[in-house]
Amino acid sequence: QSGQLLRLDVVRCQPRPLAARAGGKLAAALGSPHARLDTLDLGHNNLGNDGGVALAASLHANTSLRTLNLEHNKLGDAAATALAQALCTNLALRVLNLERNSLRAEGGEALAAALRDNRGLWHLNLRLNAVGDAGGQAMAAALASNTVLRSLEIQHNGIGEEARASVERAWVGRMGELKV
């Protein structure tokens, strides 16, 4: 009901794909100032770029979500770019799982650019995408200014030895886990 506080700790919507209408309603609820949600697990729901962009828009206003699992959702660079823009304003999110989507260099670069300024995210999982050398080099550059990230998973992304070495050098001296 409008105006009432809704408090949930965890919402898991898997492994059944959400209908587009349900995904949009969930995104709208997430953006409501009355909703409080700690963890949203939407893994394996075939959200696509449209669903990813809708969820990203809700993150601009959300101040309670700490963990967002969007693994295996056919998200592409448009969704990654929208999520990156949300990370520029959202300091509440601590864990973002984008494993096994369709992110390429553009999405990887956008997320890396967001990491330069974001001081909330602790864990980013980009495993099994295709950010390539450009995404890897962008991550390495972002790590130079981001001292908050504690865990980065970017293995199986088509990142070559030179970009991999750059990421590893940028990670030196950090507490936490790097998987390249």
Side-chain angles (χ1 to χ4, degrees):
Q1 195 170 356
S2 182
Q4 291 184 345
L5 182 67
L6 172 62
R7 170 76 180 150
L8 297 171
D9 290 323
V10 179
V11 171
R12 284 191 180 91
C13 298
Q14 68 179 54
R16 297 182 183 186
L18 288 173
R21 186 173 165 200
K25 287 186 179 218
L26 186 56
L30 187 61
S32 166
H34 303 293
R36 299 288 180 258
L37 178 62
D38 185 74
T39 300
L40 181 57
D41 185 348
L42 294 175
H44 303 269
N45 273 291
N46 198 26
L47 294 174
N49 269 324
D50 291 344
V53 168
L55 279 169
S58 69
L59 290 178
H60 287 283
N62 184 281
T63 59
S64 67
L65 192 66
R66 300 290 183 255
T67 301
L68 179 57
N69 178 17
L70 296 175
E71 84 175 276
H72 208 274
N73 266 295
K74 298 182 181 178
L75 303 179
D77 290 333
T81 299
L83 287 163
Q85 291 168 349
L87 287 175
C88 291
T89 58
N90 183 307
L91 299 178
L93 195 64
R94 299 286 182 250
V95 177
L96 179 58
N97 183 356
L98 296 173
E99 180 177 337
R100 197 181 290 265
N101 278 287
S102 300
L103 309 184
R104 301 209 175 282
E106 181 184 336
E109 290 171 352
L111 288 163
L115 286 180
R116 288 188 189 122
D117 296 321
N118 180 280
R119 297 295 177 251
L121 199 64
W122 294 344
H123 176 85
L124 178 60
N125 182 350
L126 295 175
R127 284 180 36 149
L128 295 164
N129 282 285
V131 302
D133 287 336
Q137 292 289 9
M139 282 294 162
L143 291 173
S145 62
N146 180 304
T147 58
V148 178
L149 197 66
R150 299 176 185 173
S151 175
L152 176 61
E153 297 183 52
I154 56 171
Q155 66 270 47
H156 307 293
N157 264 286
I159 297 173
E161 288 304 314
E162 187 176 324
R164 180 186 321 268
S166 294
V167 172
E168 289 170 345
R169 279 191 303 273
W171 195 265
V172 169
R174 286 177 181 259
M175 299 297 287
E177 184 175 31
L178 172 66
K179 294 181 182 178
V180 185

